[in-house]
Amino acid sequence: MLALDGAGRIVATNRPRWRGRWLSPEDRTDLQSLHARTEMRGEHLLVSLPAAEGRRLYLKAAKNLPVLDWSVAVFFDASAVTRQAATAALIAILLTLIVTGLAWIVAERRLRLQARLRGERAAALRLERRVRDRTRDLTRANQRLGEEVREREAAEAELRRTQDELVQTAKLATLGQMSAALSHEFNQPLAVIRSQADNAELLVQRGRCAEAGESLRKIAAMVDRMATISRTLKGFARKPGTQTQPVPVGPVIDEALMLLSPRIKRSQAQISFERPPRELAVAADAVLLEQVVMNLLVNALDAVGEEGGEIRITTETCGGGEVLIRVIDDGPGIDAEARGHIFDPFFTTKDVGEGLGLGLSIADKIVRDFGGQLVLEESLEGGAGSVFAVHLPQAELAVAG
Ligand code: ADP
């Protein structure tokens, strides 16, 4: 501190070197003669004074004492303030750095986010474009497929029409063949009936009634034969889609054997039938199934001939809900060429008047209507004879209540 009198002399100071010095009126503000450097900071005058360790900064506060005509100046050590200011500046810089850093991180993140969003948008657009392309391709493929389906449907309709025409043609051909066979089959008994009727008339006129009766019996036999032929044809002409119901297998075969018993006795064939359990049943129609079995048996009897041979009837259940009825004979069998034709209508190797060639084709048709199959199997152990197998769907017999 220092105190100046009105003339500008330092009259009191705590720095002994300053005592007694004169300060010109100008020097009172810049204190050059005291080796001070001054600078204004806002309203405050900062003074840098020499000190033992160099220079030190002071804040000057001055006051005039008019009574004494003195002016007193006090220099406060400003280094603490400048230190604080430096610290504050440092903190401000650090804060600025942190804030800038944070801002930079945020900006960086935002940029990255924007870049990612841009990338995602671009990928979504690419995907959309691909989906659009793919959809267009698919639509085109669909249209092509639709056209192909329409063409195929048209082709199928055409095929069906052609098939129908073929079936119709085949029907007409069959009808022609059938009428030829029919006239052949009916002509013979008709001729016999005619001659037997004439015969009977003559015999009655001559009073030989017993012989006339014989002729009438022959006529009746011929009528029976014609009735049989007509029945067979009825079976051939029947419509498919017959209602099936559970039919017990054993009784149907028994019935067929019973109906054929005169024929069986005549042929002296050995017939064995392994009777199945009573509850074994198939989905069929009893009368038609009986006709199938009879057709197979008649063929077997024809095959073994009058001298007798062995015929076996077996039944078995197989997997998949199927029942198998086999008619096996030890006759001459069927040669390779005939095998391909035996199910054709009117195919027969029998003499005229003995076979119409309809038995197997009718049996085959009936079995197929039941949802089954009639198969000519290889004869057992490669021996002679024939094995016909009827495959039929198994059925449950309703329990009689
Ligand atoms: P048909 O008995 O009136 O000739 P089918 O359709 O029943 O007519 O039989 C056709 C042909 O199949 C017979 O003529 C015969 O040659 C042959 N056939 C059928 N069953 C047998 C059998 N068990 N053994 C040998 N040949 C058979």
Side-chain angles (χ1 to χ4, degrees):
M1 52 105 29
L2 58 83
L4 291 177
D5 62 7
R9 192 166 57 101
I10 298 172
V11 286
T13 177
N14 59 343
R15 290 212 174 180
R17 277 191 290 134
W18 290 353
R19 188 162 303 131
R21 288 215 187 160
W22 292 88
L23 296 183
S24 63
E26 300 82 48
D27 200 23
R28 290 182 197 182
T29 49
D30 59 20
L31 303 171
Q32 287 286 342
S33 55
L34 296 183
H35 305 288
R37 289 184 211 139
T38 56
E39 70 177 276
M40 285 302 290
R41 286 258 182 98
E43 300 165 358
H44 305 288
L45 181 73
L46 283 180
V47 183
S48 162
L49 290 171
E53 70 283 6
R55 298 186 78 81
R56 191 174 271 204
L57 205 59
Y58 295 91
L59 183 67
K60 181 188 169 197
K63 180 87 179 157
N64 289 327
L65 302 174
V67 179
L68 296 173
D69 192 19
W70 279 11
S71 85
V72 178
V74 179
F75 300 92
F76 297 101
D77 192 344
S79 52
V81 177
T82 46
R83 244 194 333 270
Q84 275 177 13
T87 312
L90 199 68
I91 289 171
I93 287 167
L94 278 177
L95 278 176
T96 313
L97 276 177
I98 289 169
V99 169
T100 313
L102 283 176
W104 185 76
I105 288 170
V106 168
E108 178 74 7
R109 282 211 177 152
R110 177 167 295 184
L111 276 177
R112 234 181 288 152
L113 189 72
Q114 277 173 353
R116 212 178 68 209
L117 284 177
R118 257 202 312 280
E120 280 175 6
R121 231 187 347 263
L125 279 173
R126 266 201 306 278
L127 195 71
E128 218 172 88
R129 209 168 31 241
R130 262 179 39 207
V131 167
R132 226 179 12 245
D133 291 350
R134 198 97 189 84
T135 312
R136 207 174 34 238
D137 289 351
L138 275 176
T139 315
R140 264 195 229 123
N142 250 356
Q143 279 169 352
R144 261 202 314 278
L145 215 66
E147 278 162 24
E148 269 173 32
V149 167
R150 270 194 297 282
E151 276 170 22
R152 190 158 295 188
E153 276 171 357
E156 262 174 30
E158 183 64 36
L159 192 71
R160 229 172 288 130
R161 242 195 326 277
T162 319
Q163 267 176 350
D164 287 350
E165 278 166 20
L166 263 176
V167 168
Q168 194 57 27
T169 317
K171 267 188 194 162
L172 289 176
T174 308
L175 211 69
Q177 280 175 320
M178 199 182 284
S179 16
L182 249 187
S183 64
H184 179 84
E185 283 297 309
F186 280 152
N187 275 346
Q188 191 221 2
L190 280 175
V192 174
I193 288 169
R194 176 79 243 177
S195 71
Q196 289 298 333
D198 291 347
N199 215 11
E201 193 185 7
L202 272 176
L203 290 168
V204 169
Q205 277 169 7
R206 289 178 196 167
R208 288 155 64 182
C209 289
E211 286 166 70
E214 182 59 30
S215 290
L216 288 174
R217 259 194 304 283
K218 279 185 186 153
I219 289 173
M222 285 301 121
V223 169
D224 282 350
R225 177 169 167 71
M226 289 170 78
T228 312
I229 294 170
S230 139
R231 231 188 358 262
T232 314
L233 287 171
K234 228 162 71 194
F236 189 68
R238 53 180 281 284
K239 283 206 175 71
T242 320
Q243 284 283 321
T244 60
Q245 55 201 35
V247 173
V249 176
V252 167
I253 297 175
D254 280 338
E255 183 99 1
L257 285 169
M258 200 203 61
L259 286 172
L260 285 174
S261 55
R263 177 73 214 274
I264 294 168
K265 270 189 211 127
R266 228 180 20 248
S267 80
Q268 292 167 2
Q270 288 291 315
I271 298 203
S272 63
F273 171 35
E274 295 158 20
R275 209 162 266 96
R278 269 156 55 95
E279 66 277 5
L280 182 70
V282 288
D285 173 281
V287 176
L288 295 174
L289 182 57
E290 199 177 286
Q291 192 181 339
V292 171
V293 177
M294 277 174 72
N295 286 359
L296 296 179
L297 276 172
V298 166
N299 279 345
L301 285 167
D302 286 344
V304 297
E306 299 292 307
E307 308 84 52
E310 207 187 324
I311 297 172
R312 283 195 300 133
I313 307 169
T314 64
T315 57
E316 70 178 79
T317 48
C318 348
E322 217 181 42
V323 173
L324 247 164
I325 304 171
R326 282 200 181 90
V327 178
I328 307 160
D329 68 63
D330 59 359
I334 302 169
D335 60 45
E337 201 195 327
R339 272 178 174 260
H341 299 290
I342 52 164
F343 293 110
D344 296 346
F346 302 108
F347 175 81
T348 181
T349 54
K350 294 171 192 171
D351 292 338
V352 175
E354 279 182 17
L356 273 180
L358 289 174
L360 283 180
S361 66
I362 290 173
D364 177 55
K365 195 160 165 325
I366 292 173
V367 173
R368 262 190 285 133
D369 275 358
F370 294 155
Q373 226 184 335
L374 174 58
V375 183
L376 169 62
E377 291 182 349
E378 290 299 322
S379 52
L380 300 174
E381 291 133 20
S386 311
V387 182
F388 281 91
V390 184
H391 296 247
L392 284 170
Q394 190 167 4
E396 288 283 323
L397 269 186
V399 181

